[in-house]
Amino acid sequence: MQLDEPIEVKIYEWNTGGLLTRIEGLRAFLPKFELMDRISTFTDLKNNVSRSICVCIIRLDEETNDLIVSEKKAWEMTYLKEGALLKGNVHKIFPYGAQVRITGTNRSGLLHISNISQGRVLSVSDILKVDDELKVLVIKSNVSDKIALSIADLESAPGLFLSNKAKVFSEAEEMAKRYREQLLVVSRNTKLDYDLPGETIPFDNEATLYANWKWFKFLRHAKSGDGNDRT
């Protein structure tokens, strides 16, 4: 739980509220609303018995052995990181973009019109149709808890999706890898920027400041004509 990382567990029992498993010998409960698949009947719950599921611990009370886990959080941590490549189908078309249902889940993300292509897109419906199969990249969202998607960042050339969708999707894995590599570079540079001192000089006075410049040598500037001019 401290590492906040997904772990794989096996479901051994079910009840009307969810599924039961064990972690390090402790009984853990997976509520049905924390499952990725929508549960409509008790049969849906029962069918999960003996299934292996990746979960995250979301609550732990050591005194009562109350251990609650979530498949949703584990999935989000694994697949909703910026730079993750997902498959999906167009579920709805809007004037400002398309709702894309992510394959194998009941989750959807928004493919904004500005993220469909680096080329000019005047109408979403001219480019995409309901049920179209897509490969999309998870990008940073400006809205909390919203999944922002992009195809434009998968284009190896501006506007390629408008002329050759198949080529964009065939190159998607490589372009997604490049995107993640760029994220790492930006992350490292940001860290270096944070490590730099701020605008305030960390010394009480100039004498203390100059005393720390051991590589800096001051030379007296002689008057012109004495033969000892210094630069």
Side-chain angles (χ1 to χ4, degrees):
M1 184 174 184
Q2 289 176 340
L3 293 174
D4 198 26
E5 292 180 352
I7 55 175
E8 187 174 317
V9 297
K10 188 172 183 178
I11 304 302
Y12 69 89
E13 193 178 337
W14 69 280
N15 60 33
T16 56
L19 306 173
L20 298 170
T21 184
R22 289 190 179 276
I23 300 175
E24 298 291 339
L26 292 176
R27 185 177 177 180
F29 180 58
L30 173 56
K32 59 184 179 183
F33 55 80
E34 290 294 343
L35 283 163
M36 286 299 299
D37 295 331
R38 185 171 297 172
I39 301 298
S40 302
T41 66
F42 292 151
T43 301
D44 294 337
L45 282 171
K46 187 176 180 180
N47 288 339
N48 281 286
V49 175
S50 299
R51 175 186 166 207
S52 292
I53 300 178
C54 283
V55 298
C56 276
I57 300 171
I58 57 175
R59 193 173 77 200
L60 172 62
D61 187 329
E62 295 183 13
E63 294 183 358
T64 61
N65 284 342
D66 184 19
L67 187 58
I68 308 297
V69 296
S70 170
E71 185 188 18
K72 283 184 178 179
K73 183 178 179 182
W75 186 88
E76 290 172 357
M77 292 180 66
T78 304
Y79 297 105
L80 293 189
K81 292 180 179 178
E82 186 177 1
L85 183 66
L86 303 175
K87 292 181 180 179
N89 295 79
V90 177
H91 187 61
K92 292 181 180 179
I93 299 287
F94 306 106
Y96 53 83
Q99 182 187 42
V100 178
R101 179 64 56 84
I102 300 169
T103 301
T105 76
N106 59 2
R107 299 293 301 275
S108 297
L110 176 64
L111 177 62
H112 193 269
I113 187 171
S114 62
N115 292 322
I116 293 177
S117 173
Q118 297 176 49
R120 190 178 183 187
V121 178
L122 298 177
S123 172
V124 179
S125 58
D126 288 343
I127 310 300
L128 300 172
K129 305 297 180 187
V130 172
D131 292 331
D132 278 357
E133 294 184 0
L134 305 175
K135 287 185 180 180
V136 289
L137 191 71
V138 177
I139 59 174
K140 189 173 182 179
S141 175
N142 293 324
V143 182
S144 178
D145 298 327
K146 298 297 182 182
I147 306 172
L149 306 173
S150 173
I151 295 176
D153 289 288
L154 296 176
E155 291 180 318
S156 56
L160 183 61
F161 184 69
L162 305 180
S163 60
N164 195 338
K165 295 180 181 180
K167 183 172 176 61
V168 172
F169 293 149
S170 68
E171 298 175 341
E173 283 77 10
E174 179 60 28
M175 294 303 295
K177 181 180 177 182
R178 291 186 190 180
Y179 184 92
R180 291 191 292 269
E181 289 171 350
Q182 291 174 355
L183 286 180
L184 289 175
V185 172
V186 171
S187 177
R188 291 193 189 105
N189 289 341
T190 302
K191 185 178 185 303
L192 288 174
D193 289 341
Y194 281 129
D195 290 340
L196 292 173
E199 294 181 359
T200 304
I201 298 177
F203 301 104
D204 296 333
N205 53 58
E206 289 189 38
T208 307
L209 170 62
Y210 295 147
N212 283 273
W213 288 8
K214 296 180 180 180
W215 50 268
F216 201 102
K217 185 177 181 181
F218 289 94
L219 298 175
R220 184 183 297 278
H221 182 70
K223 293 181 180 179
S224 178
D226 65 2
N228 294 314
D229 291 350
R230 302 287 186 181
T231 303

